[in-house]
Structures are given as C-alpha cells and as structure tokens.
Amino acid sequence: MSEPRINDRIRVPEVRLVGPNGEQVGIVRVEDALRLAAEADLDLVEVAPEARPPVAKLMDFGKYKYETAMKARESRKNQVNTVIKEIKLRPKIDDHDYGTKKGHVVRFLKGGDKVKVTIMFRGREQSRPELGFRLLQRLAEDVAELGFVESAPRQDGRNMVMVLGPTKKKTVVRQEKRREAERSRTGEPGGEASAASEAGTTQTEQA
C-alpha cells in the first residue's frame, strides 16, 4: 500500500480535521490545517482520502510509521501457520511398526501440528475397509490425551484418511516452551525436572 499524503502533498481545498488526541476540530481550509500542524510541531496526515471532504489528522508521522511497523512485525512474529503432518499406514501393520508410527503422531500432536493419517490399501485389501477403520479408531484412542478426531475416517480412492487435531494449539505449545526455557535459565524449580521429563519422553518415543 502507498503511504498516505502528508503536509504539502495534500492538495484539496479543505479537510475534516482531527486533533492529535482524536478530537474533532471540524471542516477547515487546508492552509489553516497546515498552520495548526506547524504550530504544534506535528504533521498533517490524510487518513481518509475517500471521504468528502477528506479526513486529515494532526500527528507525528515518523512516530506513527515506527509504531505501525513494530505492530506489523509483532503480528508476523506471533502468526502461526497451520501445518499438517502426514503419516501413512498399511491396514495389516505389525505392532512394532505401529508403535513407531504412533510415536511420530504423538510428537506431531505435542508440537501443536495437525496429523493426516492415511491408510493405504493394496490389491485385495481394498475389499476390507473395516481393517483400516479399526486401525484408525485404535490410533485415535491411543493418542486421545494429545489429539482429537477433527475429520472422521473417510474413503479417498484406494486410501482411507483421518485428520487428528492437537488438543493444545501451537501458540500455547510455543508459550510453554518459552516459559520452560526461561525457568531453566533462571534456575526456577521445575525447570530442570521438566526438561529431564521431556527428554525422557523423547527417548521413549524414539525407542
């Protein structure tokens, strides 16, 4: 977006003037508005050019630009992109592989990500969709403390798909991690213990 017109760049006969504290001054000639701006050591900024007459405000434009940029930066910093991880299973998966795949799902959900679980059917397996359905139900029950079924199992061509959503949003997970890191740095009670607990959890998932 282009910057608003300020001071001498405002080329209209009159403006609806707003004071520096938001007070309504009224409709004044642009020359008078510029004089008031100069007397207050402020800028005259056109904030609503489409209005008739345009609305202009007395403000410190440099300070306004800085604050706007900082707000935009903070907004981008706090913005969380929705990430969907995908795990693929076979309907006749053995217990060891199932445990490994479940560990990945647990890790993704703990991280605040959604998980798309896909059951891949091959050959005659396509005539046994109930195998995939039961497997997805089992997985949903096994991770119920960390995630919920956001999209129920459904057939998608040769595959069956279910989407799990995390019970804790990614913003919450990030805040908890920041607080935990801060506790570890300051030596607050619970910081090291929690970190050790998290490490133990990670080792269990990877085992």
Side-chain angles (χ1 to χ4, degrees), residues 44-111:
L44 181 67
V45 182
E46 189 178 52
V47 294
E50 71 284 353
R52 292 293 180 268
V55 179
K57 184 176 181 179
L58 298 176
M59 68 172 74
D60 182 336
F61 188 59
K63 181 180 178 182
Y64 168 77
K65 283 181 65 177
Y66 173 78
E67 290 176 348
T68 300
M70 290 301 294
K71 287 179 181 177
R73 180 180 176 183
E74 190 65 22
S75 177
R76 288 194 299 270
K77 181 180 176 181
N78 293 330
Q79 185 177 3
V80 177
N81 295 323
T82 301
V83 176
I84 299 182
K85 304 290 189 177
E86 183 172 17
I87 290 291
K88 295 182 178 181
L89 309 174
R90 294 294 306 280
K92 295 180 180 180
I93 189 170
D94 62 46
D95 288 340
H96 175 74
D97 287 342
Y98 173 79
T100 300
K101 298 285 188 178
K102 186 181 73 172
H104 293 322
V105 174
V106 166
R107 179 160 50 86
F108 294 149
L109 292 174
K110 280 185 174 180

Side-chain angles (χ1 to χ4, degrees), residues 4-19:
R5 294 187 295 184
I6 66 172
N7 300 327
D8 294 336
R9 292 175 57 197
I10 303 175
R11 302 184 180 280
V12 292
E14 56 187 18
V15 295
R16 186 178 297 278
L17 186 63
V18 178

Side-chain angles (χ1 to χ4, degrees), residues 89-93 98 117-139 153 155 158-162:
L89 309 174
R90 294 294 306 280
K92 295 180 180 180
I93 189 170
Y98 173 79
V117 186
T118 302
I119 305 292
M120 301 181 297
F121 295 97
R122 292 179 183 172
R124 296 180 180 179
E125 292 174 347
Q126 296 178 58
S127 64
R128 301 288 304 280
E130 69 277 4
L131 294 177
F133 184 78
R134 283 202 295 265
L135 182 58
L136 292 176
Q137 276 191 317
R138 175 188 174 188
L139 180 60
Q155 199 74 29
R158 294 184 178 183
N159 301 329
M160 183 174 286
V161 177
M162 175 179 73

